[in-house]
């Protein structure tokens, strides 16, 4: 039985869960509009580890012309919220997406699987990746253990950056732009 079952989603995405549709709406609006500012307004979006499908739902509701694909490794999530079932450690899409979202997923994968997953995310991303996950620091200092799953891999930000930076430039606030596809002003980026 997968850990990502009905009880998991009720525990972390029910009342008082980690985030909800309203909060994702604020975040998705900001991400979408920053892409537009960079002159790459998303016409397609891939949600990796989509869970209850909040990003996909936001796009369908607010930008119905955007082509969306949501995937998840959990059979329960795929059956309940309508995703394709794939493991990002072993799967790449056959086409790229302007925006790829991977929100709160990679800390569930072991080291080798994260390395493979980041290569697959890079292959899938035409312009912009939105990536969020708690690092070792966040789990110690910021994350509320009552509301969040603490049974996850604890790695440093440096560890993740080493894998991401060959493919992406960090813009900040979870946004990573595909090298060569989006040009950021020097002080617009978090890192060169
Ligand atoms: C914490 S939930 C995040 C759900 C959603 N992204 C959100 O932020 O609301 C983690 C999700 O990642 C999915 N997941 C975990 N490992 C995965 C993998 N290797 N490939 C694809 N999805 C995965 C789980 O099934 C679960 O739905």
């Amino acid at each position: 039985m997968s850990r990502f079952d009905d009880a998991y989603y009720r525990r972390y995405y029910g009342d008082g869960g980690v985030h909800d549709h309203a909060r994702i709406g604020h975040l998705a609006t900001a991400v979408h509009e920053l892409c537009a500012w960079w002159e790459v307004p998303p016409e397609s979006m891939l949600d990796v580890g989509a869970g209850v499908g909040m990003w996909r739902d936001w796009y369908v509701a607010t930008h119905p012309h955007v082509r969306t694909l949501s995937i998840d490794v959990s059979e329960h999530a795929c059956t309940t919220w309508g995703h394709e079932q794939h493991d990002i450690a072993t799967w790449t899409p056959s086409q790229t997406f302007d925006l790829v979202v991977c929100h709160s997923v990679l800390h569930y994968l072991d080291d080798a699987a994260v390395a493979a997953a980041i290569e697959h995310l890079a292959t899938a991303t035409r312009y912009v990746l939105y990536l969020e996950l708690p690092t070792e620091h966040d789990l110690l200092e910021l994350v509320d253990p009552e509301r969040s799953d603490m049974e996850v891999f604890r790695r440093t930000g440096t560890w993740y950056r080493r894998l991401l930076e060959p493919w992406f430039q960090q813009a900040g606030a979870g946004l990573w732009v595909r090298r060569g596809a989006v040009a950021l002003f020097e002080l617009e980026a978090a890192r060169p």
Side-chain angles (χ1 to χ4, degrees), residues 16-78:
V18 282
H19 46 248
D20 58 17
H21 276 87
R23 277 173 53 75
I24 292 297
H26 292 301
L27 176 60
T29 301
V31 168
H32 184 84
E33 293 301 327
L34 260 177
C35 292
W37 164 248
W38 290 325
E39 299 184 333
V40 289
E43 296 292 324
S44 54
M45 192 278 300
L46 171 67
D47 189 1
V48 173
V52 306
M54 288 186 268
W55 279 86
R56 183 269 324 272
D57 291 350
W58 183 85
Y59 263 102
V60 168
T62 62
H63 299 281
H65 69 281
V66 172
R67 175 172 61 90
T68 59
L69 176 63
S70 52
I71 69 139
D72 202 289
V73 77
S74 157
E75 185 179 357
H76 176 78
C78 293

Side-chain angles (χ1 to χ4, degrees), residues 2 4 8-9 12-13 18-19 24 47-55 71-74 77 86-89 101-109 113 117 132 149:
S2 160
F4 303 110
Y8 172 89
Y9 294 102
Y12 296 111
Y13 292 92
V18 282
H19 46 248
I24 292 297
D47 189 1
V48 173
V52 306
M54 288 186 268
W55 279 86
I71 69 139
D72 202 289
V73 77
S74 157
H86 301 290
D87 179 344
I88 192 58
V101 172
C102 186
H103 191 164
S104 201
V105 178
L106 294 186
H107 53 313
Y108 285 105
L109 280 62
E132 190 256 29
D149 189 356

Side-chain angles (χ1 to χ4, degrees), residues 46 67 92-97 123-124:
L46 171 67
R67 175 172 61 90
T92 43
S94 54
Q95 46 193 322
T96 59
F97 292 79
T123 303

Side-chain angles (χ1 to χ4, degrees), residues 30 32 46 121 135-136 164 172 175:
H32 184 84
L46 171 67
L121 292 172
T135 63
E136 183 177 58
L164 287 157
L175 289 167

